[in-house]
């Protein structure tokens, strides 16, 4: 089932953020995304995530064909 562009990712990330804000001890959210997935990067940046680092992984390249990943973070709430 193709869900890209239907708002599913935005809705899931919103629920994830709400969960993190209600949980004590969580100061930031983080994720890894393929550097080739421009639409996902744009979504995450629109939600306040920032690229912190670029990671290379031969294992990921062998498993999914992508060598370069971005590590992105976002502070939780006002923390």
């Amino acid at each position: 089932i193709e869900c890209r562009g239907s708002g599913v990712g935005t809705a899931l990330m919103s629920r994830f953020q709400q969960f993190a804000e209600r949980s004590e001890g969580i100061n930031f959210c983080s994720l890894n995304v393929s550097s080739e997935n421009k639409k996902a990067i744009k979504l995450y940046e629109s939600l306040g995530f920032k690229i912190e680092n670029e990671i290379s992984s031969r294992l990921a390249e062998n498993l999914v064909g992508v060598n370069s990943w971005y590590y992105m973070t976002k502070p939780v709430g006002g923390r």
Side-chain angles (χ1 to χ4, degrees), residues 8 15 17 22 38 46 50 53 59 61 68 70 77:
V8 172
R15 294 291 292 178
Q17 182 72 21
R22 288 191 310 265
K38 303 301 181 197
S46 75
K50 304 250 187 270
N53 197 5
L59 177 61
E61 183 175 21
S68 179
Y70 291 141

Side-chain angles (χ1 to χ4, degrees), residues 16-76:
F16 173 65
Q17 182 72 21
Q18 290 170 5
F19 171 81
E21 288 173 356
R22 288 191 310 265
S23 302
E24 284 197 37
I26 298 178
N27 298 317
F28 69 94
C29 298
S30 66
L31 57 87
N32 292 314
V33 61
S34 165
S35 62
E36 297 174 8
N37 193 341
K38 303 301 181 197
K39 287 185 178 182
I41 294 166
K42 185 176 177 179
L43 167 65
Y44 299 141
E45 288 177 332
S46 75
L47 297 172
F49 283 83
K50 304 250 187 270
I51 296 172
E52 298 289 334
N53 197 5
E54 185 170 359
I55 304 161
S56 295
S57 170
R58 287 188 184 244
L59 177 61
E61 183 175 21
N62 289 332
L63 292 173
V64 295
V66 178
N67 180 5
S68 179
W69 300 82
Y70 291 141
Y71 174 70
M72 302 181 77
T73 63
K74 175 184 178 177
V76 171

